[in-house]
mmCIF file of all heavy atoms in Angstrom:
data_model
loop_
_atom_site.group_PDB
_atom_site.id
_atom_site.type_symbol
_atom_site.label_atom_id
_atom_site.label_comp_id
_atom_site.label_asym_id
_atom_site.label_seq_id
_atom_site.Cartn_x
_atom_site.Cartn_y
_atom_site.Cartn_z
ATOM 1 N N ALA A 490 28.504 29.650 -10.794
ATOM 2 C CA ALA A 490 28.789 29.096 -12.122
ATOM 3 C C ALA A 490 27.673 29.464 -13.084
ATOM 4 O O ALA A 490 26.536 29.702 -12.673
ATOM 5 C CB ALA A 490 28.918 27.572 -12.052
ATOM 6 N N GLY A 491 28.003 29.481 -14.365
ATOM 7 C CA GLY A 491 27.014 29.692 -15.414
ATOM 8 C C GLY A 491 26.869 31.159 -15.782
ATOM 9 O O GLY A 491 27.191 32.044 -15.008
ATOM 10 N N THR A 492 26.377 31.373 -17.013
ATOM 11 C CA THR A 492 26.074 32.712 -17.513
ATOM 12 C C THR A 492 24.560 32.823 -17.595
ATOM 13 O O THR A 492 23.922 31.960 -18.195
ATOM 14 C CB THR A 492 26.691 32.913 -18.909
ATOM 15 O OG1 THR A 492 28.097 32.724 -18.787
ATOM 16 C CG2 THR A 492 26.400 34.301 -19.453
ATOM 17 N N PRO A 493 23.956 33.869 -16.966
ATOM 18 C CA PRO A 493 22.488 33.933 -16.948
ATOM 19 C C PRO A 493 21.899 34.030 -18.351
ATOM 20 O O PRO A 493 22.334 34.859 -19.153
ATOM 21 C CB PRO A 493 22.196 35.221 -16.162
ATOM 22 C CG PRO A 493 23.468 35.610 -15.507
ATOM 23 C CD PRO A 493 24.584 34.986 -16.268
ATOM 24 N N SER A 494 20.924 33.177 -18.645
ATOM 25 C CA SER A 494 20.167 33.319 -19.887
ATOM 26 C C SER A 494 18.687 33.197 -19.586
ATOM 27 O O SER A 494 18.291 32.561 -18.605
ATOM 28 C CB SER A 494 20.595 32.308 -20.949
ATOM 29 O OG SER A 494 21.257 31.231 -20.401
ATOM 30 N N ALA A 495 17.877 33.782 -20.455
ATOM 31 C CA ALA A 495 16.422 33.820 -20.249
ATOM 32 C C ALA A 495 15.812 32.511 -20.759
ATOM 33 O O ALA A 495 15.243 32.452 -21.838
ATOM 34 C CB ALA A 495 15.825 35.022 -20.963
ATOM 35 N N LEU A 496 15.945 31.432 -19.975
ATOM 36 C CA LEU A 496 15.426 30.126 -20.383
ATOM 37 C C LEU A 496 13.922 30.057 -20.201
ATOM 38 O O LEU A 496 13.239 29.294 -20.884
ATOM 39 C CB LEU A 496 16.108 29.011 -19.561
ATOM 40 C CG LEU A 496 17.641 28.994 -19.634
ATOM 41 C CD1 LEU A 496 18.216 27.918 -18.718
ATOM 42 C CD2 LEU A 496 18.096 28.787 -21.077
ATOM 43 N N ASP A 497 13.398 30.866 -19.257
ATOM 44 C CA ASP A 497 11.971 30.808 -18.904
ATOM 45 C C ASP A 497 11.354 32.206 -18.947
ATOM 46 O O ASP A 497 10.159 32.363 -18.758
ATOM 47 C CB ASP A 497 11.885 30.236 -17.483
ATOM 48 C CG ASP A 497 10.529 29.662 -17.158
ATOM 49 O OD1 ASP A 497 9.963 28.982 -18.024
ATOM 50 O OD2 ASP A 497 10.040 29.914 -16.041
ATOM 51 N N HIS A 498 12.210 33.204 -19.122
ATOM 52 C CA HIS A 498 11.778 34.604 -19.156
ATOM 53 C C HIS A 498 11.908 35.133 -20.579
ATOM 54 O O HIS A 498 12.448 34.459 -21.453
ATOM 55 C CB HIS A 498 12.640 35.446 -18.208
ATOM 56 C CG HIS A 498 12.374 35.205 -16.758
ATOM 57 N ND1 HIS A 498 12.964 34.192 -16.045
ATOM 58 C CD2 HIS A 498 11.557 35.845 -15.877
ATOM 59 C CE1 HIS A 498 12.527 34.220 -14.791
ATOM 60 N NE2 HIS A 498 11.673 35.210 -14.659
ATOM 61 N N ASP A 499 11.435 36.382 -20.783
ATOM 62 C CA ASP A 499 11.608 37.017 -22.090
ATOM 63 C C ASP A 499 12.997 37.628 -22.235
ATOM 64 O O ASP A 499 13.498 37.763 -23.347
ATOM 65 C CB ASP A 499 10.547 38.105 -22.301
ATOM 66 C CG ASP A 499 9.229 37.499 -22.785
ATOM 67 O OD1 ASP A 499 9.223 36.326 -23.218
ATOM 68 O OD2 ASP A 499 8.205 38.198 -22.722
ATOM 69 N N ALA A 500 13.604 38.045 -21.115
ATOM 70 C CA ALA A 500 14.918 38.673 -21.169
ATOM 71 C C ALA A 500 15.499 38.729 -19.765
ATOM 72 O O ALA A 500 14.761 38.580 -18.780
ATOM 73 C CB ALA A 500 14.799 40.098 -21.727
ATOM 74 N N VAL A 501 16.812 38.915 -19.690
ATOM 75 C CA VAL A 501 17.464 39.208 -18.406
ATOM 76 C C VAL A 501 18.339 40.434 -18.618
ATOM 77 O O VAL A 501 18.790 40.703 -19.729
ATOM 78 C CB VAL A 501 18.318 38.029 -17.881
ATOM 79 C CG1 VAL A 501 17.456 36.845 -17.513
ATOM 80 C CG2 VAL A 501 19.394 37.628 -18.883
ATOM 81 N N ARG A 502 18.561 41.210 -17.554
ATOM 82 C CA ARG A 502 19.484 42.344 -17.650
ATOM 83 C C ARG A 502 20.009 42.694 -16.267
ATOM 84 O O ARG A 502 19.376 42.394 -15.248
ATOM 85 C CB ARG A 502 18.827 43.560 -18.295
ATOM 86 C CG ARG A 502 17.730 44.185 -17.475
ATOM 87 C CD ARG A 502 17.203 45.470 -18.150
ATOM 88 N NE ARG A 502 15.927 45.835 -17.588
ATOM 89 C CZ ARG A 502 15.560 47.090 -17.303
ATOM 90 N NH1 ARG A 502 16.380 48.088 -17.532
ATOM 91 N NH2 ARG A 502 14.374 47.336 -16.793
ATOM 92 N N TRP A 503 21.185 43.346 -16.250
ATOM 93 C CA TRP A 503 21.806 43.818 -15.015
ATOM 94 C C TRP A 503 21.450 45.292 -14.860
ATOM 95 O O TRP A 503 21.596 46.069 -15.799
ATOM 96 C CB TRP A 503 23.322 43.669 -15.101
ATOM 97 C CG TRP A 503 23.808 42.249 -15.218
ATOM 98 C CD1 TRP A 503 24.095 41.576 -16.369
ATOM 99 C CD2 TRP A 503 24.066 41.343 -14.142
ATOM 100 N NE1 TRP A 503 24.526 40.297 -16.072
ATOM 101 C CE2 TRP A 503 24.529 40.134 -14.710
ATOM 102 C CE3 TRP A 503 23.969 41.430 -12.744
ATOM 103 C CZ2 TRP A 503 24.876 39.025 -13.944
ATOM 104 C CZ3 TRP A 503 24.324 40.330 -11.979
ATOM 105 C CH2 TRP A 503 24.767 39.140 -12.569
ATOM 106 N N VAL A 504 21.010 45.679 -13.643
ATOM 107 C CA VAL A 504 20.555 47.058 -13.412
ATOM 108 C C VAL A 504 21.286 47.627 -12.197
ATOM 109 O O VAL A 504 21.359 46.984 -11.142
ATOM 110 C CB VAL A 504 19.026 47.087 -13.187
ATOM 111 C CG1 VAL A 504 18.546 48.513 -12.942
ATOM 112 C CG2 VAL A 504 18.292 46.484 -14.391
ATOM 113 N N GLY A 505 21.803 48.846 -12.335
ATOM 114 C CA GLY A 505 22.500 49.529 -11.248
ATOM 115 C C GLY A 505 21.527 50.235 -10.318
ATOM 116 O O GLY A 505 20.350 50.446 -10.659
ATOM 117 N N ALA A 506 22.042 50.640 -9.146
ATOM 118 C CA ALA A 506 21.181 51.227 -8.112
ATOM 119 C C ALA A 506 20.399 52.434 -8.619
ATOM 120 O O ALA A 506 19.217 52.596 -8.305
ATOM 121 C CB ALA A 506 22.036 51.618 -6.905
ATOM 122 N N ALA A 507 21.056 53.289 -9.420
ATOM 123 C CA ALA A 507 20.410 54.537 -9.856
ATOM 124 C C ALA A 507 19.209 54.272 -10.752
ATOM 125 O O ALA A 507 18.323 55.126 -10.869
ATOM 126 C CB ALA A 507 21.421 55.415 -10.592
ATOM 127 N N ASP A 508 19.158 53.119 -11.398
ATOM 128 C CA ASP A 508 18.079 52.837 -12.349
ATOM 129 C C ASP A 508 16.973 51.961 -11.774
ATOM 130 O O ASP A 508 15.972 51.694 -12.449
ATOM 131 C CB ASP A 508 18.659 52.156 -13.594
ATOM 132 C CG ASP A 508 19.636 53.059 -14.317
ATOM 133 O OD1 ASP A 508 19.369 54.277 -14.382
ATOM 134 O OD2 ASP A 508 20.672 52.556 -14.777
ATOM 135 N N LEU A 509 17.122 51.519 -10.533
ATOM 136 C CA LEU A 509 16.155 50.542 -9.995
ATOM 137 C C LEU A 509 14.760 51.124 -9.813
ATOM 138 O O LEU A 509 13.762 50.418 -9.957
ATOM 139 C CB LEU A 509 16.650 49.979 -8.656
ATOM 140 C CG LEU A 509 17.726 48.902 -8.752
ATOM 141 C CD1 LEU A 509 18.092 48.436 -7.352
ATOM 142 C CD2 LEU A 509 17.274 47.729 -9.601
ATOM 143 N N HIS A 510 14.683 52.426 -9.500
ATOM 144 C CA HIS A 510 13.356 53.034 -9.283
ATOM 145 C C HIS A 510 12.553 53.107 -10.584
ATOM 146 O O HIS A 510 11.335 53.121 -10.541
ATOM 147 C CB HIS A 510 13.508 54.435 -8.679
ATOM 148 C CG HIS A 510 14.020 54.419 -7.273
ATOM 149 N ND1 HIS A 510 13.214 54.152 -6.187
ATOM 150 C CD2 HIS A 510 15.271 54.596 -6.780
ATOM 151 C CE1 HIS A 510 13.946 54.194 -5.080
ATOM 152 N NE2 HIS A 510 15.200 54.440 -5.413
ATOM 153 N N GLU A 511 13.244 53.180 -11.706
ATOM 154 C CA GLU A 511 12.562 53.367 -13.002
ATOM 155 C C GLU A 511 12.141 52.043 -13.643
ATOM 156 O O GLU A 511 11.473 52.043 -14.675
ATOM 157 C CB GLU A 511 13.485 54.106 -13.988
ATOM 158 C CG GLU A 511 14.082 55.389 -13.449
ATOM 159 C CD GLU A 511 13.047 56.293 -12.803
ATOM 160 O OE1 GLU A 511 11.921 56.361 -13.333
ATOM 161 O OE2 GLU A 511 13.355 56.898 -11.760
ATOM 162 N N VAL A 512 12.539 50.928 -13.043
ATOM 163 C CA VAL A 512 12.214 49.615 -13.621
ATOM 164 C C VAL A 512 10.696 49.393 -13.589
ATOM 165 O O VAL A 512 10.016 49.797 -12.641
ATOM 166 C CB VAL A 512 12.937 48.507 -12.814
ATOM 167 C CG1 VAL A 512 12.404 47.125 -13.152
ATOM 168 C CG2 VAL A 512 14.442 48.590 -13.033
ATOM 169 N N ASP A 513 10.169 48.757 -14.633
ATOM 170 C CA ASP A 513 8.753 48.376 -14.659
ATOM 171 C C ASP A 513 8.611 47.041 -13.904
ATOM 172 O O ASP A 513 8.508 45.968 -14.483
ATOM 173 C CB ASP A 513 8.276 48.233 -16.112
ATOM 174 C CG ASP A 513 6.790 47.941 -16.206
ATOM 175 O OD1 ASP A 513 6.066 48.153 -15.206
ATOM 176 O OD2 ASP A 513 6.345 47.481 -17.288
#
Side-chain angles (χ1 to χ4, degrees):
T492 301
S494 20
L496 304 176
D497 200 42
H498 288 85
D499 278 345
V501 293
R502 67 175 163 139
W503 296 94
V504 180
D508 297 322
L509 281 181
H510 291 280
E511 308 312 322
V512 167
D513 184 17

